[in-house]
Amino acid sequence: MDTIIKNGLIVTADGRFEGSIGIVGEEIAGIYAPGEEPEAAEVIDAAGLAVMPGAIDTHSHHREGSEPGFEYKETIETATLQCAVGGVTTTVGMPNVNPPVNSAELLRRQFAVYEREAYVDYNFNPAGTVLDEMPELATMGIIAFKVFMVVDSGRPYPHMSGIGVHEHGRLFRIMKECARLGHPLMVHPHDQSLMTAIEEEFWARGERDCLAYAKAYAAHDGLLWDSSVALLLRLAKAADCHLHILHVQTEGTVKMIRQAKAEGQKVTCEINPWAIFLGCDWATVERLGSYALSYWVPEKNLPELWAGLNDGTIDMVATDHAPHTREEKEWGWTDGWKAHTGTQSTQHYLSLCLTAAHQGKLSLESVVRLCCTEPARVFGIEKKGEIRPGYDADLVLVDLDREYTIRDEDALTRVGWTPYAGQTVTGVPVRTILRGRTVFAGGKVVGAKGYGRLARGG
Ligand SMILES: [Zn+2]
């Protein structure tokens, strides 16, 4: 063996047990009962720690494209440094970079930047908005196509042209092409015509600040979200397309997805940390304004969201990591529609989920299922997401009892702040191992830029 990790509590999606993990080269070679492990060149003592598969984040905005544009918000380097610290061994980028990625040539260029810059393994979800480009994109190892149904009003970002589709007929054609190519379609649900009607009521009353913005998106008990998800489910059923719904945040949506799954429809979905740890508390929205907003999730939705996380209706936690500068958030105090939406979370979401386990809202096994195993299984990411011989030795050692209060000073995001500052978590990654090599330990990133590799989808 090259490495043995001994004396740890191994946690998988199915259970937990004391044992040791042997690593040869980049892969897990064996799992052994305590005292039965073979000799190894390197022995890592995990006494008192939990050993989990590395987290896999299938939805992250790394901001850096193949041409200059949004790297003042984040770069692939800074994003993947946060991943290493946060126990995330695979991260998947989103197409709203410059230029927005919707063709094979642009994806090749985008992958080239990752190959040079990434500290952890990666993939990238191209926009499925150019039908002629989709067959070639489908051969490039991607996990899914992505479309936003959003056309922003009042700001040029984060939902720029070239990656949004809100015409239902076009969406249906894209879904049929995804079905033919055997790839899931990730969709940010939205309905701009409906949103315009809702927004104009607020604006007519002179309500334009971040609190009005928060209320508008949640208006009429989540109408915007529920109606667009209902449409998406019906279109995807007709197209026989694997629909992956992003940003689940209402009880109505959870119920619809649960029903569709019960009827055998191929649908999966994610929840984002902001929906259950940040934007779900009106006091926080009032205090932080646009700094807290991806979206406001009224508290009445929380019981169904937690039920969905526990019963498997919600398949995974993905970050929707989306950093913006303070200036871009500050606008929100007077114009919530001008502030850029999105919140950064890659560095801390595993800790936030472990804290939920500590509080009894989820089991530890469910945290592994939601953050590690299901993302790999749903998208067919090869050799990732499980502690199993032959799989990549992507592991995170966690001190489940360690408390830590999140601080802006520790946030490695390029923008230098985090909306979670001040929150105390219980459960902190202390060592991250990627394909057999330690990339974070002793509070420091020890991995190398460029070590990250394409984690291929199925
Ligand atoms: Zn997003």
Side-chain angles (χ1 to χ4, degrees):
M1 294 288 144
D2 294 321
T3 305
I4 280 280
I5 301 168
K6 31 191 311 194
N7 304 325
L9 177 70
I10 298 172
V11 185
T12 71
D14 304 317
R16 57 185 95 176
F17 53 93
E18 305 277 342
S20 302
I21 299 169
I23 299 170
V24 173
E26 298 191 342
E27 293 178 0
I28 294 168
I31 299 163
Y32 309 94
E36 292 185 5
E37 52 279 309
E39 297 289 302
E42 178 192 28
V43 177
I44 296 172
D45 186 359
L49 301 174
V51 185
M52 299 167 33
I56 298 175
D57 180 8
T58 54
H59 179 168
S60 187
H61 298 272
H62 302 140
R63 302 303 190 206
E64 181 177 6
S66 56
E67 291 173 27
F70 304 103
E71 62 287 342
Y72 66 92
K73 295 173 189 271
E74 196 75 287
T75 62
I76 290 167
E77 177 177 6
T78 54
T80 55
L81 281 169
Q82 292 163 74
C83 289
V85 175
V88 184
T89 47
T90 301
T91 183
V92 185
M94 282 296 186
N96 53 339
V97 295
N98 188 45
V101 179
N102 57 12
S103 73
E105 177 51 28
L106 288 171
L107 184 61
R108 262 189 290 280
R109 285 196 227 159
Q110 189 68 26
F111 277 155
V113 186
Y114 279 89
E115 205 176 314
R116 195 178 68 225
E117 299 291 328
Y119 278 81
V120 303
D121 286 358
Y122 58 83
N123 205 316
F124 194 87
N125 302 313
T129 48
V130 184
L131 281 172
D132 290 349
E133 291 287 339
M134 291 174 68
E136 189 177 352
L137 284 166
T139 66
M140 295 174 71
I142 61 170
I143 67 165
F145 290 97
K146 156 85 187 265
V147 299
F148 299 85
M149 288 175 82
V150 187
V151 186
D152 263 330
S153 43
R155 65 193 161 201
Y157 196 77
H159 308 112
M160 72 262 273
S161 65
I163 55 178
V165 178
H166 61 129
E167 303 92 337
H168 304 170
R170 233 182 112 206
L171 204 49
F172 186 53
R173 283 202 187 95
I174 291 165
M175 285 180 173
K176 286 202 287 189
E177 186 64 353
C178 283
R180 192 181 73 84
L181 296 169
H183 276 285
L185 182 65
M186 296 180 167
V187 185
H188 174 147
H190 190 70
D191 181 330
Q192 191 55 43
S193 163
L194 180 58
M195 196 58 214
T196 300
I198 294 171
E199 286 169 344
E200 284 176 359
E201 287 177 17
F202 280 83
W203 298 347
R205 294 194 297 266
E207 296 178 32
R208 185 101 204 187
D209 67 359
C210 47
L211 302 183
Y213 180 89
K215 288 175 190 166
Y217 271 85
H220 307 289
D221 194 16
L223 173 65
L224 180 74
W225 302 102
D226 293 354
S227 60
S228 49
V229 166
L231 170 80
L232 285 168
L233 283 168
R234 189 63 186 84
L235 289 176
K237 188 177 179 182
D240 197 22
C241 165
H242 173 178
L243 171 67
H244 183 73
I245 299 169
L246 307 179
H247 309 311
V248 167
Q249 59 192 283
T250 68
E251 59 178 347
T253 297
V254 174
K255 286 177 185 165
M256 279 187 273
I257 295 170
R258 187 181 288 121
Q259 178 72 19
K261 284 186 168 188
E263 289 169 4
Q265 186 168 347
K266 182 77 179 148
V267 54
T268 52
C269 67
E270 66 170 28
I271 199 166
N272 310 121
W274 49 259
I276 42 175
F277 302 122
L278 184 70
C280 49
D281 172 11
W282 185 250
T284 303
V285 175
E286 277 198 332
R287 182 169 58 88
L288 296 176
S290 294
Y291 291 86
L293 293 172
S294 297
Y295 299 101
W296 173 43
V297 179
E299 249 172 81
K300 70 170 292 241
N301 297 288
L302 291 179
E304 201 60 56
L305 294 177
W306 286 106
L309 283 161
N310 277 294
D311 71 14
T313 302
I314 298 172
D315 298 86
M316 65 191 73
V317 178
T319 60
D320 188 25
H321 175 81
H324 300 289
T325 64
R326 288 179 188 277
E327 186 193 15
E328 290 165 336
K329 289 293 191 183
E330 198 62 21
W331 293 326
W333 298 115
T334 47
D335 187 347
W337 275 261
K338 192 178 171 200
H340 291 193
T341 45
T343 45
Q344 50 273 36
S345 54
T346 283
Q347 191 174 333
H348 301 114
Y349 84 105
L350 190 57
S351 280
L352 291 162
C353 291
L354 291 166
T355 306
H358 183 77
Q359 294 165 344
K361 293 175 178 166
L362 286 174
S363 67
L364 213 45
E365 288 80 0
S366 288
V367 174
V368 172
R369 169 172 58 82
L370 291 160
C371 297
C372 318
T373 306
E374 283 303 291
R377 199 191 60 78
V378 163
F379 294 111
I381 303 174
E382 294 168 6
K383 295 169 59 177
K384 302 284 194 195
E386 291 186 53
I387 298 177
R388 186 192 281 199
Y391 273 54
D392 283 350
D394 295 353
L395 300 162
V396 52
L397 277 55
V398 172
D399 185 338
L400 293 174
D401 299 318
R402 187 186 293 184
E403 289 192 356
Y404 161 68
T405 301
I406 298 171
R407 308 186 309 167
D408 285 337
E409 302 91 285
D410 301 333
L412 298 176
T413 172
R414 185 105 193 246
V415 292
W417 65 276
T418 165
Y420 297 95
Q423 285 202 33
T424 298
V425 294
T426 307
V428 177
V430 295
R431 186 176 192 126
T432 305
I433 298 168
L434 172 61
R435 285 182 280 107
R437 179 167 159 185
T438 295
V439 295
F440 168 73
K444 286 199 184 73
V445 175
V446 294
K449 189 155 121 164
Y451 178 63
R453 183 194 287 170
L454 176 65
R456 299 183 70 88

